[in-house]
Coordinates of all heavy atoms in Angstrom, one line a residue:
Chain G
M15 N 14.4 1.7 0.9 CA 15.5 2.0 0.1 C 15.2 1.6 -1.4 O 14.5 0.6 -1.6 CB 16.7 1.3 0.6 CG 16.5 -0.2 0.5 SD 18.1 -1.1 0.8 CE 17.5 -2.8 1.0
L17 N 17.3 1.6 -5.5 CA 18.4 2.0 -6.4 C 17.9 3.1 -7.2 O 16.8 3.1 -7.8 CB 18.9 0.8 -7.3 CG 19.7 -0.2 -6.6 CD1 19.8 -1.5 -7.5 CD2 21.1 0.3 -6.3
R55 N 27.8 4.0 -5.9 CA 28.7 3.2 -6.6 C 29.8 4.0 -7.4 O 29.4 5.0 -7.9 CB 27.9 2.4 -7.6 CG 28.7 1.4 -8.3 CD 27.8 0.4 -9.1 NE 28.7 -0.5 -9.8 CZ 28.3 -1.4 -10.7 NH1 27.0 -1.5 -10.9 NH2 29.1 -2.2 -11.3
F59 N 34.4 -0.5 -11.3 CA 34.1 -1.7 -10.4 C 35.3 -2.6 -10.3 O 35.6 -3.2 -9.3 CB 32.8 -2.4 -10.8 CG 32.7 -3.7 -10.0 CD1 32.3 -3.6 -8.7 CD2 33.1 -4.9 -10.5 CE1 32.2 -4.7 -7.9 CE2 33.0 -6.0 -9.7 CZ 32.6 -6.0 -8.4
S60 N 36.0 -2.8 -11.4 CA 37.0 -3.9 -11.4 C 38.1 -3.4 -10.4 O 38.8 -4.3 -9.8 CB 37.6 -4.1 -12.8 OG 38.1 -2.9 -13.3
G61 N 38.3 -2.1 -10.3 CA 39.4 -1.7 -9.3 C 38.8 -1.5 -8.0 O 39.4 -1.9 -7.0
M62 N 37.7 -0.8 -7.9 CA 37.1 -0.4 -6.6 C 35.8 -1.2 -6.4 O 34.8 -0.8 -7.0 CB 36.8 1.1 -6.5 CG 38.1 1.9 -6.6 SD 37.9 3.6 -6.5 CE 37.6 4.0 -8.2
V63 N 35.8 -2.2 -5.6 CA 34.7 -3.1 -5.6 C 33.5 -2.6 -4.6 O 32.4 -3.2 -4.7 CB 35.1 -4.6 -5.2 CG1 36.1 -5.1 -6.1 CG2 35.6 -4.6 -3.7
L64 N 33.8 -1.7 -3.8 CA 32.8 -1.3 -2.8 C 32.2 0.1 -3.2 O 32.9 1.0 -3.7 CB 33.4 -1.2 -1.4 CG 33.9 -2.6 -0.8 CD1 34.5 -2.4 0.6 CD2 32.8 -3.6 -0.8
R65 N 30.9 0.2 -2.8 CA 30.3 1.5 -2.9 C 30.9 2.4 -1.8 O 31.5 1.9 -0.8 CB 28.8 1.4 -2.7 CG 28.1 0.8 -3.9 CD 26.6 0.5 -3.6 NE 26.0 0.0 -4.8 CZ 25.2 0.6 -5.6 NH1 24.8 1.8 -5.2 NH2 24.7 0.1 -6.7
R66 N 30.6 3.7 -1.8 CA 31.0 4.6 -0.8 C 29.8 5.2 -0.1 O 28.9 5.7 -0.7 CB 31.8 5.7 -1.3 CG 33.1 5.3 -2.1 CD 34.1 4.6 -1.2 NE 35.4 4.4 -1.8 CZ 35.8 3.3 -2.5 NH1 34.9 2.3 -2.7 NH2 37.0 3.2 -2.9
Q258 N 31.5 3.8 10.2 CA 32.3 2.6 10.2 C 32.5 2.1 8.7 O 31.7 2.5 7.8 CB 31.4 1.5 10.9 CG 32.1 0.2 11.3 CD 33.4 0.4 12.1 OE1 34.5 0.6 11.5 NE2 33.3 0.4 13.4
N259 N 33.6 1.4 8.5 CA 33.8 0.9 7.1 C 32.6 0.0 6.8 O 32.1 -0.8 7.6 CB 35.0 0.0 7.1 CG 36.3 0.8 7.2 OD1 36.3 2.0 7.5 ND2 37.4 0.2 7.0
C262 N 28.0 -3.8 2.5 CA 26.7 -3.8 1.8 C 25.9 -2.5 2.1 O 25.1 -2.1 1.2 CB 25.9 -5.0 2.2 SG 25.4 -5.0 3.9
V264 N 23.3 -2.5 3.8 CA 21.9 -2.8 4.0 C 21.7 -3.8 5.2 O 20.6 -4.3 5.4 CB 21.2 -3.4 2.8 CG1 21.3 -2.4 1.6 CG2 21.8 -4.7 2.4
G265 N 22.7 -4.1 5.9 CA 22.6 -5.1 7.0 C 22.9 -6.5 6.7 O 22.7 -7.4 7.5
A266 N 23.5 -6.8 5.5 CA 23.7 -8.2 5.1 C 25.1 -8.7 5.5 O 25.2 -9.9 5.7 CB 23.5 -8.3 3.6
C267 N 26.1 -7.9 5.5 CA 27.5 -8.4 5.7 C 28.0 -8.3 7.1 O 29.0 -8.9 7.4 CB 28.4 -7.7 4.7 SG 28.9 -6.0 5.1
L268 N 27.4 -7.5 7.9 CA 27.9 -7.4 9.3 C 29.3 -6.8 9.4 O 30.1 -7.0 10.3 CB 27.9 -8.7 10.1 CG 26.5 -9.4 10.1 CD1 26.6 -10.8 10.8 CD2 25.5 -8.5 10.8
G269 N 29.7 -6.0 8.4 CA 31.0 -5.4 8.3 C 31.1 -4.1 9.2 O 32.2 -3.7 9.5
V271 N 29.8 -2.9 12.3 CA 29.2 -2.9 13.6 C 29.9 -2.0 14.6 O 31.1 -1.6 14.4 CB 29.1 -4.3 14.2 CG1 28.2 -5.2 13.3 CG2 30.4 -4.9 14.4
M273 N 29.8 -1.7 19.1 CA 29.3 -2.5 20.2 C 28.3 -1.8 21.1 O 28.5 -0.6 21.4 CB 30.5 -3.0 21.0 CG 30.2 -4.0 22.1 SD 29.2 -5.3 21.5 CE 30.4 -6.6 21.3
G277 N 25.9 -5.9 24.7 CA 26.8 -6.9 24.3 C 26.6 -7.5 22.9 O 27.3 -8.4 22.5
P279 N 26.7 -6.7 19.0 CA 27.1 -5.7 18.0 C 25.9 -5.2 17.2 O 25.0 -5.9 16.8 CB 28.1 -6.5 17.1 CG 28.5 -7.7 17.8 CD 27.3 -8.0 18.7
R284 N 22.2 -0.3 9.6 CA 20.8 -0.7 9.8 C 20.2 -0.2 11.1 O 19.2 0.5 11.1 CB 20.8 -2.3 9.7 CG 19.4 -2.8 9.4 CD 19.1 -2.7 7.9 NE 17.8 -3.3 7.6 CZ 17.5 -3.8 6.4 NH1 18.3 -3.8 5.5 NH2 16.3 -4.2 6.2
W300 N 36.4 -2.5 21.2 CA 35.4 -2.3 20.2 C 35.2 -0.8 19.9 O 34.3 -0.5 19.0 CB 34.1 -2.9 20.7 CG 34.1 -4.3 20.6 CD1 34.6 -5.2 21.4 CD2 33.5 -5.1 19.5 NE1 34.4 -6.5 21.0 CE2 33.7 -6.4 19.8 CE3 32.8 -4.7 18.3 CZ2 33.3 -7.5 19.0 CZ3 32.4 -5.8 17.5 CH2 32.6 -7.1 17.8
Chain F
G101 N 27.5 -14.8 3.4 CA 28.2 -13.6 4.0 C 27.9 -12.4 3.1 O 28.1 -11.2 3.6
F103 N 24.9 -11.9 1.4 CA 23.5 -11.7 1.2 C 22.7 -12.0 2.5 O 21.5 -12.2 2.5 CB 23.0 -12.6 0.1 CG 21.8 -12.1 -0.7 CD1 21.9 -11.0 -1.5 CD2 20.6 -12.7 -0.5 CE1 20.8 -10.5 -2.2 CE2 19.5 -12.3 -1.2 CZ 19.6 -11.2 -2.1
G104 N 23.4 -11.9 3.6 CA 22.8 -12.0 4.9 C 21.9 -13.3 5.0 O 22.4 -14.4 4.7
E108 N 17.6 -8.9 3.7 CA 18.2 -7.5 3.9 C 18.0 -6.6 2.7 O 17.9 -5.4 2.9 CB 19.6 -7.6 4.3 CG 19.9 -8.2 5.7 CD 19.8 -9.7 5.8 OE1 19.6 -10.3 4.7 OE2 20.0 -10.3 6.8
Y109 N 18.1 -7.2 1.5 CA 18.1 -6.3 0.3 C 16.6 -5.9 -0.1 O 16.4 -5.1 -1.0 CB 18.8 -6.9 -0.9 CG 20.3 -6.6 -0.9 CD1 21.2 -7.5 -0.3 CD2 20.7 -5.4 -1.3 CE1 22.6 -7.2 -0.3 CE2 22.1 -5.1 -1.3 CZ 23.0 -6.0 -0.8 OH 24.3 -5.7 -0.8
V112 N 14.9 -4.5 -3.4 CA 15.9 -4.2 -4.4 C 16.2 -5.5 -5.2 O 16.6 -5.5 -6.4 CB 17.2 -3.7 -3.8 CG1 18.3 -3.6 -4.8 CG2 16.9 -2.3 -3.2
I132 N 29.6 -13.1 18.6 CA 29.6 -11.6 18.4 C 30.6 -11.2 17.3 O 30.5 -10.1 16.9 CB 29.9 -10.8 19.7 CG1 31.3 -11.1 20.3 CG2 28.8 -11.1 20.7 CD1 31.7 -10.2 21.4
G133 N 31.5 -12.1 16.9 CA 32.4 -11.8 15.8 C 33.6 -11.0 16.2 O 33.9 -10.9 17.4
N134 N 34.3 -10.5 15.3 CA 35.6 -9.8 15.5 C 35.5 -8.3 15.8 O 34.5 -7.7 15.4 CB 36.5 -10.0 14.3 CG 37.0 -11.4 14.2 OD1 37.2 -12.1 15.2 ND2 37.3 -11.9 12.9
T136 N 36.2 -4.3 15.2 CA 36.3 -3.5 14.0 C 37.6 -2.8 13.8 O 38.3 -2.7 14.8 CB 35.1 -2.5 14.0 OG1 35.3 -1.7 15.2 CG2 33.8 -3.2 14.0
P137 N 37.9 -2.3 12.7 CA 37.2 -2.4 11.4 C 37.2 -3.9 10.9 O 38.2 -4.6 11.1 CB 38.0 -1.5 10.5 CG 38.9 -0.6 11.3 CD 39.1 -1.4 12.6
R138 N 36.1 -4.2 10.2 CA 36.0 -5.6 9.7 C 36.1 -5.7 8.2 O 36.2 -6.8 7.7 CB 34.6 -6.1 10.1 CG 34.4 -6.4 11.6 CD 33.0 -6.9 11.9 NE 32.8 -7.4 13.2 CZ 31.7 -7.9 13.7 NH1 30.6 -7.9 12.8 NH2 31.6 -8.3 14.9
V139 N 35.9 -4.6 7.5 CA 36.1 -4.7 6.1 C 36.9 -3.5 5.5 O 36.9 -2.5 6.1 CB 34.7 -4.6 5.4 CG1 33.8 -5.8 5.7 CG2 33.9 -3.4 5.7
E141 N 38.5 -2.1 1.5 CA 38.7 -2.4 0.1 C 40.2 -2.5 -0.2 O 41.0 -1.9 0.4 CB 38.2 -1.2 -0.7 CG 38.1 -1.4 -2.2 CD 37.5 -0.3 -3.0 OE1 38.2 0.7 -3.2 OE2 36.3 -0.3 -3.3
G144 N 41.1 -4.2 -6.5 CA 40.2 -5.3 -7.2 C 39.6 -6.2 -6.2 O 39.2 -7.3 -6.6
G145 N 39.5 -5.8 -5.0 CA 38.8 -6.8 -4.0 C 38.6 -6.1 -2.7 O 38.6 -4.9 -2.5
M146 N 38.4 -7.0 -1.7 CA 38.2 -6.5 -0.3 C 38.6 -7.6 0.6 O 38.7 -8.7 0.3 CB 36.7 -6.2 -0.1 CG 35.8 -7.4 -0.1 SD 34.0 -7.0 0.3 CE 34.1 -6.7 2.1
I150 N 34.7 -10.7 9.5 CA 33.5 -10.6 10.3 C 33.6 -11.4 11.5 O 33.0 -11.1 12.6 CB 32.3 -11.0 9.4 CG1 32.3 -10.3 8.1 CG2 31.0 -10.8 10.2 CD1 32.2 -8.8 8.1
Q153 N 30.1 -13.5 13.0 CA 29.0 -13.0 13.9 C 27.7 -13.6 13.4 O 27.3 -13.6 12.2 CB 28.9 -11.5 13.8 CG 27.8 -10.9 14.7 CD 27.6 -9.5 14.5 OE1 28.5 -8.7 14.2 NE2 26.3 -9.0 14.7
P297 N 37.1 -9.6 -7.6 CA 37.7 -9.9 -8.8 C 39.2 -10.4 -8.7 O 39.7 -11.2 -9.4 CB 37.7 -8.6 -9.6 CG 36.5 -7.9 -9.1 CD 36.4 -8.3 -7.6
T325 N 31.7 -11.1 -11.5 CA 31.1 -9.8 -11.7 C 30.4 -9.6 -13.0 O 29.7 -8.6 -13.2 CB 32.2 -8.7 -11.6 OG1 33.0 -8.8 -12.8 CG2 33.1 -8.8 -10.4
A346 N 30.5 -8.9 -5.4 CA 30.0 -8.0 -6.4 C 28.6 -7.5 -6.1 O 28.1 -6.5 -6.6 CB 30.0 -8.8 -7.8
F348 N 27.6 -6.3 -3.3 CA 27.7 -5.0 -2.6 C 27.7 -3.8 -3.6 O 27.1 -2.8 -3.3 CB 29.0 -5.0 -1.7 CG 29.1 -6.1 -0.7 CD1 30.3 -6.5 -0.3 CD2 27.9 -6.7 -0.2 CE1 30.4 -7.5 0.7 CE2 28.0 -7.7 0.7 CZ 29.3 -8.1 1.2
A349 N 28.3 -4.0 -4.7 CA 28.3 -2.9 -5.7 C 27.0 -2.9 -6.5 O 26.5 -1.9 -6.8 CB 29.5 -3.0 -6.6
D350 N 26.6 -4.1 -6.9 CA 25.4 -4.2 -7.7 C 24.5 -5.3 -7.3 O 24.6 -6.5 -7.7 CB 25.8 -4.4 -9.2 CG 24.6 -4.4 -10.1 OD1 23.5 -4.3 -9.6 OD2 24.8 -4.6 -11.3
T352 N 21.7 -6.1 -8.0 CA 20.8 -6.7 -9.1 C 21.6 -7.6 -10.0 O 21.0 -8.2 -10.9 CB 20.2 -5.6 -10.0 OG1 21.2 -4.8 -10.6 CG2 19.4 -4.6 -9.1

Side-chain angles (χ1 to χ4, degrees):
Chain G
M15 64 168 167
L17 281 166
R55 188 168 175 184
F59 172 75
S60 61
M62 294 180 277
V63 303
L64 296 180
R65 286 171 179 255
R66 301 296 192 271
Q258 191 56 271
N259 290 7
C262 66
V264 302
C267 76
L268 305 175
V271 300
M273 187 47 99
R284 198 82 176 204
W300 283 83
Chain F
F103 208 68
E108 291 81 357
Y109 275 97
V112 172
I132 61 169
N134 287 331
T136 54
R138 288 177 172 184
V139 293
E141 191 177 77
M146 67 178 285
I150 310 301
Q153 183 188 327
T325 69
F348 300 154
D350 184 0
T352 64

